[in-house]
């Protein structure tokens, strides 16, 4: 397709760039969906709390929300609820978030099924890191 198009075998007129872009978008989406699916089946998440920092790791494939947050940056941990609808049913998912001292939110773990798991992690990590719990706008309350 590309060789024929680039050699001038196809005259698409002024919108010829669309014929170059559309196949690339489909390929990129296919690669992204494949990676998302494989990561969903294979990956495990680790949260490592050490004195002075909190680290989130996803293995074996790199994924979103990984990285390290220094205690100097960390203001609060909290649980957030998200609502999803599919085929007439409503599903609730939970994520554990960190509020940084600069006011930004950073998601640590997303798509948890149970609010109890997220709240337990929040409480244990705050206890270990010496963070005094206080309310955050938009947080899930049990």
């Amino acid at each position: 397709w590309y060789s024929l198009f680039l050699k001038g075998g196809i005259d698409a007129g002024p919108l010829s760039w669309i014929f170059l872009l559309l196949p690339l978008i489909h390929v990129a989406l296919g690669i992204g969906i494949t990676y998302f699916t494989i990561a969903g089946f294979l990956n495990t998440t680790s949260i490592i709390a050490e004195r002075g920092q909190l680290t989130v790791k996803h293995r074996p494939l790199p994924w979103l929300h990984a990285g390290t947050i220094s205690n100097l940056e960390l203001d609060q941990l909290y649980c957030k609820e998200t609502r999803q609808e599919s085929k007439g049913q409503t599903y609730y998912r939970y994520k554990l978030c960190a509020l940084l001292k600069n006011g930004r939110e950073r998601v640590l773990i997303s798509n948890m099924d149970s609010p109890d798991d997220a709240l337990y992690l929040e409480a244990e990590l705050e206890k270990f890191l010496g963070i005094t719990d206080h309310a955050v706008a938009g947080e899930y309350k049990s």
Side-chain angles (χ1 to χ4, degrees), residues 8 13 28 40 44 53 56 62 66 78-79 81 96 136 139 142:
T44 59
Q53 67 183 18
V56 178
Y78 62 99
C79 175
E81 180 181 68
L96 179 63
V136 173
E139 79 175 308
S142 59

Side-chain angles (χ1 to χ4, degrees), residues 44-58:
T44 59
T45 300
S46 301
I47 296 181
I48 303 158
E50 300 172 313
R51 297 286 177 208
Q53 67 183 18
L54 183 65
T55 303
V56 178
K57 294 181 179 182
H58 304 286

Side-chain angles (χ1 to χ4, degrees), residues 45-47 54-58 63-69 74 76-82 93-100 103-112 118 121 125:
T45 300
S46 301
I47 296 181
L54 183 65
T55 303
V56 178
K57 294 181 179 182
H58 304 286
W63 195 246
L64 304 171
H65 316 309
T68 300
I69 303 172
L74 191 56
Q76 188 63 222
L77 298 175
Y78 62 99
C79 175
K80 223 174 173 180
E81 180 181 68
T82 57
R93 298 287 184 252
Y94 304 89
K95 53 185 167 182
L96 179 63
C97 301
L99 179 64
L100 305 180
R104 295 184 69 200
E105 174 188 275
R106 183 153 168 201
V107 176
L108 302 177
I109 301 178
S110 61
N111 210 25
M112 298 173 77
L121 279 173
L125 290 169

Side-chain angles (χ1 to χ4, degrees), residues 18-96:
I18 290 176
F19 290 98
L20 290 173
L21 191 60
L22 283 178
L24 292 177
I25 291 172
H26 283 103
V27 170
L29 285 172
I31 291 170
I33 290 169
T34 301
Y35 188 88
F36 176 82
T37 302
I38 292 170
F41 281 110
L42 297 180
N43 271 9
T44 59
T45 300
S46 301
I47 296 181
I48 303 158
E50 300 172 313
R51 297 286 177 208
Q53 67 183 18
L54 183 65
T55 303
V56 178
K57 294 181 179 182
H58 304 286
R59 290 191 179 142
L61 300 173
W63 195 246
L64 304 171
H65 316 309
T68 300
I69 303 172
S70 166
N71 274 9
L72 300 174
E73 299 175 76
L74 191 56
D75 182 41
Q76 188 63 222
L77 298 175
Y78 62 99
C79 175
K80 223 174 173 180
E81 180 181 68
T82 57
R83 182 177 166 206
Q84 301 170 345
E85 292 190 33
S86 176
K87 297 180 183 175
Q89 288 190 315
T90 302
Y91 300 94
Y92 293 94
R93 298 287 184 252
Y94 304 89
K95 53 185 167 182
L96 179 63

Side-chain angles (χ1 to χ4, degrees), residues 117-139:
D117 292 343
L119 292 170
Y120 174 78
L121 279 173
E122 174 193 347
E124 290 298 311
L125 290 169
E126 285 177 340
K127 183 170 44 171
F128 183 81
L129 296 169
I131 298 171
T132 304
D133 190 33
H134 65 270
V136 173
E139 79 175 308

